[in-house]
Structure formats: structure tokens, C-alpha cells
Amino acid sequence: MNTSDARARLGRVYQVPRPGQPEPTATDLVTAAERACPYRAEDGPTDGELLDALTLLPAVRSDVERAELRIIDRAREAGITWDRIGVALGYGRGGEGAAQGAQRRATTLRARVAGRPVDDDRGDDPAPVEPGAVVPC
């Protein structure tokens, strides 16, 4: 399916954006479709609407990963330690494991944002992360 067609169809169905609002993100449209599941009259979203929402999920993941990397980079620029970032990301209660987990996650995100292949979702690439690196938006 074509993502621009899916965006247009979901935008029409869920009336997103409202007048005076900016164009919706993929996240806005998928959220609108998901929220309609229990509330829409009849049987909920149509098959086409559900497929359109599924078509946009890779864009949603990409948006979230870019946001996560920007927040990690800003946290580092603000002097927040890798250990504290790791704890916030759920990599334990502190210590070396949390710091390493956060650094691996940042390395994985940086590779994905740059379009480079990543071996796995855990981000076990031990390459160091450069604090303050600019993330393309």
C-alpha cells in the first residue's frame, strides 16, 4: 500500500487535521484509527482503514525512534549520565549495565536514523556514541 494514499484516506475518515491545525503525523492518524476501534458505530474501522493504519506503522516507529534519539542527545548535552538515561529507558536500576544499555540503544537508533543496517533490536553494537551528535530530522 502507498503511505501517502493511506494518510489521505485516514485523514478524511477521521477528519484530521481539524481546521487551523497542522498536517497530521503518521502517529496522529494511527492513533485516531486505534481509538475508533471501541467507539465507532457498527463494527468499528473498516478493513481498509485498519490496513491503512498498519501501512503507516513503520513511519510511526521511525518518528518515535527519531524523537527518542533527540531526547537522549539532549539529555547528554544537559550533562545527564548514561547511567541515569539507562535507568529511565528501563535498562535496570543503575550501574554499568544501565549505562551500557543506554549507549547501545543510542548507537542502534543512530544507525537506524542514518539508514544503516542494524544487527538486532537490542542494539548490542558496542561502538561508542558521540555525545551531542546532530540527528537529522
Side-chain angles (χ1 to χ4, degrees), residues 29-104:
L29 295 168
V30 169
T31 300
E34 187 273 331
R35 287 185 177 157
C37 288
Y39 302 112
R40 287 251 328 251
E42 296 124 38
D43 297 322
T46 66
D47 290 358
E49 292 164 17
L50 293 170
L51 292 171
D52 284 341
L54 290 169
T55 299
L56 295 178
L57 283 176
V60 171
R61 284 186 200 100
S62 178
D63 290 347
V64 169
E65 288 178 344
R66 286 176 185 276
E68 182 179 354
L69 183 56
R70 283 192 301 266
I71 292 167
I72 289 170
D73 285 345
R74 292 214 175 103
R76 290 294 297 148
E77 290 168 7
I80 298 173
T81 66
W82 282 113
D83 183 58
R84 290 179 63 202
I85 293 169
V87 170
L89 291 173
Y91 289 105
R93 295 183 176 190
E96 194 172 319
Q100 288 177 345
Q103 289 173 326
R104 285 191 306 265

